[in-house]
Each structure stands twice: as C-alpha cells, then as structure tokens.
Amino acid sequence: MQVFKQSFSAVAALGIVSVVWGTTWVASRQGVLYMPALQLAGIRQLLGGFAFLAYYLPKGLRFPKGAEWMPLLVLALLNFILSNGLSTWGVAYISSGLAAIIGSLYPIWLVVIGYILYRRLPSILTVLGMVLGLTGICIIFYTHLGDLLNSDFRFGILLSLAATVSWALGTLYTKSHSTEFDLFQSIGYQMVISGVILYMFADWQGVTVSLDSIPWQSWASILYLVLFGSLIGFGCYLYALQHLSTEEVSVYAYINPIVAVFTGGILFGETIDILMIAGSLLTILGVYLVNKSVRDL
C-alpha cells in the first residue's frame, strides 16, 4: 500500500509539473505585456532563487567555495540568463504557445551540437524525429507567414531559438560537470546570480520601470512564476525524479507545449486552428523520437 501511495504521489507530482510548467509560458507572456521583459525575468529569478535557498536553509544549505563557483556561473549564464531571459524576452513578440513549441525543440539542438563537438552521427530514429519536428514547425509557420513580415515577430522567433540552444548547452554542461556541485541546491544560487545580472543589465540598457509603477498584472505574473513555476514546479519535479524513471519524467516536455497552446487560446485568444494543432502534434512527435534517441548522450 505504501509503494502504491508513493507511485500515485509521484505520478500526481509529474502531472502538476506537466500542467504548471506549460502555463508559465502564458504567465510570462501576460507579464511582459505590461513591463520590460528582462526586468520581469530578473525579479522572477531573484525572488525564486531566494525562496529556493530559504527552503534548503533548514535542510543544511551549503555555501559554494572556490572552484565550485565556476560551474554555477556557467549554468546561471546558460540556463537562466540566456535561456530563461531570452525566452521571456521572446514572448513579448510572439504567442506563448509558439514560444513553448520552439522551446520543446531543444533535443534537436543536442543532436546538432553533439555532431559539431564530437562528430557524433545521428541515428535513423534521430533523423526521422528531426524531419518530423521541423515539418511540424513549417506547418505551424504557415499560419504565421504574414507575421514573418513583422520585424518584431522575427526578433521574437530568433530570441526563442537562441534560448533553446542555450538550454541544450546547459544540459550538456550539466551532464559533464554534475559531480562538481549539488545539482538541486545550486538552482537557488543560479537563480539569484542570474536575477542580479539580468536586472543590472536591464537597468544599464535603460529598459526598466520603477517598482511602484509595475502594474498588478505583471506582479501577478511574477508571483505565479515564482510560486508555481519555481517553487511548486521544481518541488514536484524533484519529487517525481526521486520516485519515477528519467524516461517517465520526461513526459512533461511533450505536454507543456500543448498546455501552453490551449491555455493561451482559451484565456487570451491566441491563435488555435487545425494547422496549429496538427503542426504542434507533429513537432511533439518528432521531438519525442529525437529525445528517445539521445537519452544516453
């Protein structure tokens, strides 16, 4: 009975991750409609990071020393400053659903980067997945052909693509340096570092507003992203990892874009048509095949 309860709890935690992390794309999109994107990302990372560290404080939080800071700084750059910062900036120009679908393509970049760095040839399954995924993206973009004439839309696409490349690089770096730091506790430090740098950069660029002029819509988005995206989301994700296999937990990556597309459509009127649905499903199938073939990278 105890085993059953743990399994049920783990599946429930995975379900929460699958839904909640899908809705964070929509929350980010709504937040950046009312304030600068990099400032929002900086505030979100700062609050989330301090909350994460506070959670681990009574559990024996360990302060990094010496050379331990290097992987933290690299991962803060790849996973949060670039990946989260650019993706948050990107949804200021494109829909949350489209951004989430582009974000799901990162396993394809793992294949490309693996070939560039290690001359590792992709398998037939990988190639098939890449073809299906890119075909799905082409179908989705058919709906947005007119939008491609808009320079802001193109900029949002480039930001979102760059964010996925950074996330893929962060994944590879984590795999090769995971013994050099505590993976879970380091997330809090990475968030705090990235939050400070993002906010300082936004302020230096003159793209910040005073805190008292940030409207309630953006504060609501930030609160949601910190509470659900960072604390509850990561908490459930870590619990699921402890009680389910990595392959089972990876299911969340295929549900997130679907949740983002339909949440954005239902709540905020983002485009949902037959081509968007077909392209999304084909892209997710392609990403699934690629991810299945590169799990041992």
Side-chain angles (χ1 to χ4, degrees):
M1 182 62 70
Q2 183 65 27
V3 174
F4 173 77
K5 287 182 178 179
Q6 284 190 339
S7 299
F8 178 81
S9 298
V11 172
L14 179 59
I16 292 173
V17 172
S18 301
V19 174
V20 166
W21 277 359
T23 60
T24 55
W25 293 93
V26 182
S28 295
R29 167 67 176 169
Q30 292 308 300
V32 300
L33 291 179
Y34 305 98
M35 68 176 292
L38 293 182
Q39 184 182 17
L40 182 146
I43 294 174
R44 179 232 174 139
Q45 298 304 342
L46 268 176
L47 295 179
F50 281 127
F52 221 86
L53 293 179
Y55 172 79
Y56 276 104
L57 190 59
K59 299 177 180 293
L61 179 65
R62 182 174 172 274
F63 193 75
K65 299 178 181 179
E68 293 175 336
W69 281 105
M70 181 54 67
L72 292 182
L73 292 172
V74 172
L75 288 174
L77 173 67
L78 294 176
N79 289 342
F80 292 103
I81 296 173
L82 292 179
S83 184
N84 183 259
L86 294 180
S87 63
T88 302
W89 194 5
V91 293
Y93 305 106
I94 63 177
S95 71
S96 56
L98 182 56
I101 293 167
I102 293 175
S104 72
L105 294 176
Y106 91 92
I108 293 179
W109 290 114
L110 289 178
V111 175
V112 174
I113 294 170
Y115 176 75
I116 294 174
L117 295 181
Y118 312 113
R119 289 295 184 265
R120 184 185 292 120
L121 292 175
S123 65
I124 295 177
L125 184 62
T126 302
V127 173
L128 175 61
M130 292 176 69
V131 170
L132 290 177
L134 294 175
T135 300
I137 289 294
C138 289
I139 293 174
I140 293 169
F141 271 104
Y142 183 80
T143 304
H144 295 280
L145 283 179
D147 295 327
L148 290 175
L149 299 176
N150 186 325
S151 59
D152 285 344
F153 182 83
R154 295 196 302 271
F155 184 58
I157 295 297
L158 290 175
L159 289 173
S160 299
L161 286 173
T164 65
V165 175
S166 181
W167 185 256
L169 289 171
T171 300
L172 292 174
Y173 187 89
T174 299
K175 286 180 178 292
S176 60
H177 294 79
S178 59
T179 60
E180 300 176 20
F181 56 92
D182 186 306
L183 177 61
F184 300 139
Q185 288 193 15
S186 74
I187 292 174
Y189 290 112
Q190 293 174 43
M191 286 183 176
V192 171
I193 293 169
S194 66
V196 171
I197 294 176
L198 281 171
Y199 202 101
M200 291 177 61
F201 179 79
D203 187 59
W204 176 61
Q205 290 292 306
V207 288
T208 59
V209 296
S210 62
L211 296 180
D212 59 358
S213 66
I214 296 175
W216 69 266
Q217 294 94 331
S218 292
W219 281 120
S221 296
I222 291 171
L223 179 62
Y224 185 88
L225 290 169
V226 171
L227 180 59
F228 290 92
S230 297
L231 301 183
I232 295 177
F234 268 114
C236 290
Y237 177 67
L238 297 181
Y239 183 83
L241 276 178
Q242 292 172 341
H243 297 88
L244 298 173
S245 69
T246 304
E247 290 76 12
E248 290 172 323
V249 175
S250 68
V251 169
Y252 84 88
Y254 316 119
I255 302 176
N256 284 174
I258 298 175
V259 172
V261 168
F262 283 96
T263 302
I266 294 171
L267 296 182
F268 303 108
E270 294 182 357
T271 301
I272 300 179
D273 56 23
I274 189 64
L275 288 179
M276 185 74 170
I277 295 173
S280 299
L281 293 177
L282 193 59
T283 299
I284 293 168
L285 173 60
V287 171
Y288 167 77
L289 294 178
V290 172
N291 195 46
K292 180 179 177 62
S293 67
V294 300
R295 281 174 184 158
D296 295 328
L297 283 178

